Amino acid sequence: SLTQKDVKGILALSEKMDAVVIGPGLGAGTATKTAVKNLLAHLKVPTVVDASALLYTNSLPKTCVLTPHRGEFKNLTGDDPTPKNAQKWAKTMHATIVVKGPEDIVADKDELSLNKAGNALMTVGGTGDALSGLIGGLMAQKMHPFDACKLAVKLMGQAGDHLAQKQGSLRAIDLVHAIPALLHKDK
């Protein structure tokens, strides 16, 4: 959880960072809600908003990625998670949106991409957190948010497909460990 006391320190620390990921593991307590709203209103660095932080998207940083799964997208927008709706809300919210699901949707105001890589074994706790971290890491390297999202969902899907050929179940950490080999595969 976060409190208002945490906000000042996080904002000061964020000034030295290249990107921020907020949401995984936070929960939805009253103090956390207030702190997250305050953080999102004042962060100046590229930010990835995931998990429970998606509930507080009234005011977003200038460069922002939202990573809802299909149900969270419906709760956030009231619309079905279609490519057209994802792009509509990306324009409205001035953000890049990744709608996670059997077919990941990546949308910003100008571009739209669908990712079919991945499989049902990936529907385990922590997979979305790992994806958010990967997007944040790519954005910290100055990658454009849409490109970071597109690459991250592709890599996670490929990692999931690679692991599904070898094992009958997986954990989010298995996906994380598989990604470096995929990055070096073509070299």
Side-chain angles (χ1 to χ4, degrees):
S1 67
L2 294 174
T3 67
Q4 273 306 112
K5 290 186 224 173
D6 301 317
V7 172
K8 185 176 180 181
I10 292 170
L11 289 174
L13 183 62
S14 75
E15 291 175 8
K16 301 173 188 168
M17 301 298 133
D18 296 311
V20 170
V21 177
I22 188 167
L26 277 182
T30 304
T32 297
K33 176 181 178 178
T34 302
V36 169
K37 282 183 173 184
N38 198 351
L39 284 169
L40 291 176
H42 293 96
L43 282 166
K44 304 280 188 243
V45 296
T47 303
V48 180
V49 181
D50 187 35
S52 59
L54 288 165
L55 300 171
Y56 319 119
T57 55
N58 301 33
S59 180
L60 296 171
K62 181 180 176 186
T63 302
C64 189
V65 170
L66 308 177
T67 60
H69 59 59
R70 296 170 65 80
E72 290 168 330
F73 181 85
K74 177 83 172 173
N75 289 339
L76 181 66
T77 66
D79 285 339
D80 290 327
T82 65
K84 180 180 177 182
N85 286 338
Q87 191 160 45
K88 173 182 90 171
W89 282 100
K91 289 177 184 176
T92 299
M93 299 179 88
H94 306 284
T96 302
I97 297 179
V98 177
V99 182
K100 302 173 287 195
E103 178 179 72
D104 300 310
I105 304 165
V106 179
D108 70 7
K109 65 183 180 66
D110 299 315
E111 297 182 86
L112 182 68
S113 177
L114 303 178
N115 175 62
K116 295 183 184 207
N119 57 73
L121 293 180
M122 296 172 64
T123 56
V124 295
T127 301
D129 301 344
L131 177 64
S132 295
L134 182 54
I135 293 168
L138 293 169
M139 287 172 49
Q141 297 175 62
K142 308 298 182 219
M143 187 176 275
H144 184 272
F146 182 86
D147 296 333
C149 294
K150 189 174 168 183
L151 178 59
V153 297
K154 177 183 172 188
L155 286 171
M156 289 292 281
Q158 287 176 341
D161 288 343
H162 173 75
L163 291 169
Q165 294 172 4
K166 298 178 176 185
Q167 54 199 60
S169 66
L170 58 87
R171 302 168 298 155
I173 195 69
D174 298 331
L175 293 166
V176 171
H177 288 277
I179 289 172
L182 292 172
L183 289 171
H184 297 290
K185 186 178 175 182
D186 296 330
K187 290 184 179 182

